[in-house]
């Protein structure tokens, strides 16, 4: 990239400098304006790219998605690219706030807007929905997620053999269920899942597919996992947001006085943390065994393998005023395995649970999440009603599974 008038000597010769100081200075001023200090699409701080097509400031990851969209894919680095005066003026006249008013005028409350921490497929479809399909502009038409039902084929991982096979899924707002069938023409579903028990989160690394989606729900008071994907990133994200739309409809009926702002946090959520720890059994004299742990709000679940259909056990984490706590270290005399020496003790009204982590950093990260959960106020639903019954049964399930697997 060349700019006239700025030269420097290099070993007896001259070299054209590659910085357009005037343009860079002007862009930096525009970047300081409200809304421009974070990526227009994922909220990542300090965006270093700009869309010359849309007039928005974006991060490196989102710039790559923009670049692959026809007609609106002209992006430039704020520091390394050559900027024309007209392009700088266009960025100054528009910016992230103006784009949000135009392209996010009518985003449904249920639609999941990804952050910089979310996976690529969510960011990609959010960007395409906004700018390419223009789904959320003021004059938008009806959305596919609002139809109240969805029927299609998804690849589902087999519970026992681990193979992914095509299965028919049917989502119904009227019935408040998600069903799946082993055959496309089957009359009876293999499973009927109530939407109010569903959590859905994208797990591309765990599932081994960039479009991998994990569905978690309660079955007979224990947690059941289903692992899905679709070759089309749009299709799998459409399913995800359709589930959220049906959930919001259910909640509006169940809680007629609540606002969408109050209900939206009750829709699908990302897990607080996942990873390996080692644990011992209820007698705390058995050897520690490596297990995969998932912290989903107040439920700490553990699995032998990350892709197991059922949790081997669950620990409910209530509020600290009710006798729940977590601290570093293990009781005196506890023998942990070789490298996994960084202990954690979780105390509940019923018993204590012992875990070890491979590193101090992992130990501290788990403890932070545990203490955040036990410090958070419990909702009325967590004290009474169906959730309380579920918690009681989860506790019972944990004691049963622990006693059956005393050596686990």
């Amino acid at each position: 990239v060349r700019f006239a008038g700025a030269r420097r000597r290099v070993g007896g010769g001259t070299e054209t400098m590659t910085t357009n100081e005037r343009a860079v200075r002007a862009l930096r001023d525009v970047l300081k304006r409200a809304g421009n200090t974070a990526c227009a699409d994922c909220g990542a701080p300090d965006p270093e790219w700009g869309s010359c097509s849309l007039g928005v400031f974006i991060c490196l990851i989102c710039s790559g998605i923009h670049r692959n969209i026809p007609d609106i894919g002209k992006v430039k680095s704020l520091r390394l690219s050559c900027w024309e005066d007209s392009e700088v003026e266009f960025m100054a006249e528009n910016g992230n706030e103006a784009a949000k008013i135009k392209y996010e005028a009518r985003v449904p409350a249920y639609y999941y807007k990804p952050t910089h921490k979310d996976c690529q497929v969510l960011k990609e479809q959010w960007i395409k929905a906004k700018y390419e399909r223009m789904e959320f502009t003021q004059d938008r038409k009806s959305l596919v997620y609002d139809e109240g039902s969805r029927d299609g084929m998804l690849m589902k991982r087999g519970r026992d053999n681990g193979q992914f096979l095509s299965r028919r899924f049917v989502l119904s707002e009227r019935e408040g269920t998600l069903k799946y069938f082993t055959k496309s023409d089957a009359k009876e579903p293999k499973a009927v899942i109530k939407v109010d028990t569903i959590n859905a989160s994208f797990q591309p690394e765990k599932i081994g597919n960039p479009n991998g989606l994990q569905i978690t729900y309660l079955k007979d008071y224990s947690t059941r996992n289903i692992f899905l994907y679709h070759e089309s990133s749009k299709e799998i994200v459409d399913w995800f947001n359709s589930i959220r739309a049906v959930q919001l409809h259910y909640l509006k009926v169940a809680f007629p006085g609540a606002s969408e702002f109050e209900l939206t946090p009750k829709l699908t959520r990302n897990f607080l943390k996942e990873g390996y720890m080692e644990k011992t059994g209820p007698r705390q004299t058995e050897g520690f065994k490596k297990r995969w742990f998932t912290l989903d709000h107040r439920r700490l679940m553990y699995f032998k393998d990350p892709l197991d259909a059922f949790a081997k056990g669950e620990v409910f984490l209530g509020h600290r005023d009710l006798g729940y706590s977590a601290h570093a270290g293990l009781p005196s005399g506890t023998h942990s395995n070789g490298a996994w020496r960084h202990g954690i003790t979780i105390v509940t009204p019923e018993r204590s649970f012992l875990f070890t982590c491979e590193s101090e950093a992992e130990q501290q990260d788990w403890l932070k999440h545990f203490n955040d959960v036990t410090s958070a106020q419990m909702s009325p639903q967590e004290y009474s009603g169906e959730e309380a019954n579920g918690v009681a049964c989860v506790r019972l399930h944990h004691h049963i599974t622990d006693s059956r697997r005393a050596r686990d």
Side-chain angles (χ1 to χ4, degrees), residues 156 159 167 179-182 186 188-192 217 219 224:
K156 174 187 170 295
R159 184 181 68 182
R167 295 289 184 256
K179 303 175 182 178
Y180 80 86
F181 302 78
T182 54
E188 295 297 323
K190 177 71 173 178
V192 179
Y217 65 98
K219 180 179 180 181
R224 169 77 160 98

Side-chain angles (χ1 to χ4, degrees), residues 116-181:
H116 63 283
K117 296 180 180 180
D118 283 302
C119 63
Q120 181 81 356
V121 66
L122 280 170
K123 297 175 187 174
E124 172 192 295
Q125 289 306 310
W126 166 236
I127 290 170
K128 288 187 174 182
K130 278 204 297 183
Y131 306 122
E132 186 178 44
R133 301 193 292 271
M134 298 184 71
E135 293 184 1
F136 313 124
T137 56
Q138 194 64 45
D139 58 348
R140 72 166 170 85
K141 299 178 181 178
S142 61
L143 297 173
V144 65
Y145 330 104
D146 289 332
E147 293 177 357
S149 63
R150 192 171 187 87
D151 190 330
M153 306 298 289
L154 296 171
M155 299 299 291
K156 174 187 170 295
R157 187 179 189 272
R159 184 181 68 182
D160 299 320
N161 58 22
Q163 293 182 338
F164 280 91
L165 298 173
S166 183
R167 295 289 184 256
R168 180 187 173 206
F169 283 78
V170 178
L171 177 68
S172 172
E173 179 181 279
R174 183 176 59 83
E175 297 179 6
T177 59
L178 175 67
K179 303 175 182 178
Y180 80 86
F181 302 78

Side-chain angles (χ1 to χ4, degrees), residues 10-23:
V10 180
T14 60
E15 179 184 70
T16 302
M17 294 183 67
T18 59
T19 56
N20 184 338
E21 293 180 356
R22 184 160 57 91

Side-chain angles (χ1 to χ4, degrees), residues 151-264:
D151 190 330
M153 306 298 289
L154 296 171
M155 299 299 291
K156 174 187 170 295
R157 187 179 189 272
R159 184 181 68 182
D160 299 320
N161 58 22
Q163 293 182 338
F164 280 91
L165 298 173
S166 183
R167 295 289 184 256
R168 180 187 173 206
F169 283 78
V170 178
L171 177 68
S172 172
E173 179 181 279
R174 183 176 59 83
E175 297 179 6
T177 59
L178 175 67
K179 303 175 182 178
Y180 80 86
F181 302 78
T182 54
K183 296 182 179 179
S184 59
D185 58 351
K187 294 182 178 180
E188 295 297 323
K190 177 71 173 178
V192 179
I193 308 167
K194 294 182 178 179
V195 295
D196 59 312
T197 71
I198 291 177
N199 188 28
S201 63
F202 279 90
Q203 300 281 353
E205 293 183 6
K206 184 195 292 186
I207 296 174
N209 186 287
N211 300 335
L213 181 68
Q214 179 176 342
I215 301 288
T216 302
Y217 65 98
L218 289 177
K219 180 179 180 181
D220 299 329
Y221 302 108
S222 62
T223 300
R224 169 77 160 98
N225 292 325
I226 294 179
F227 302 99
L228 311 168
Y229 75 85
H230 194 283
E231 292 297 338
S232 165
S233 57
K234 180 181 183 302
E235 183 72 11
I236 198 70
V237 174
D238 284 355
W239 269 100
F240 176 67
N241 281 304
S242 295
I243 290 171
R244 288 173 60 87
V246 171
Q247 286 183 323
L248 183 58
H249 173 80
Y250 173 89
L251 289 171
K252 284 181 176 179
V253 174
F255 305 97
S259 66
E260 288 186 340
F261 178 79
E262 294 172 308
L263 296 176
T264 301

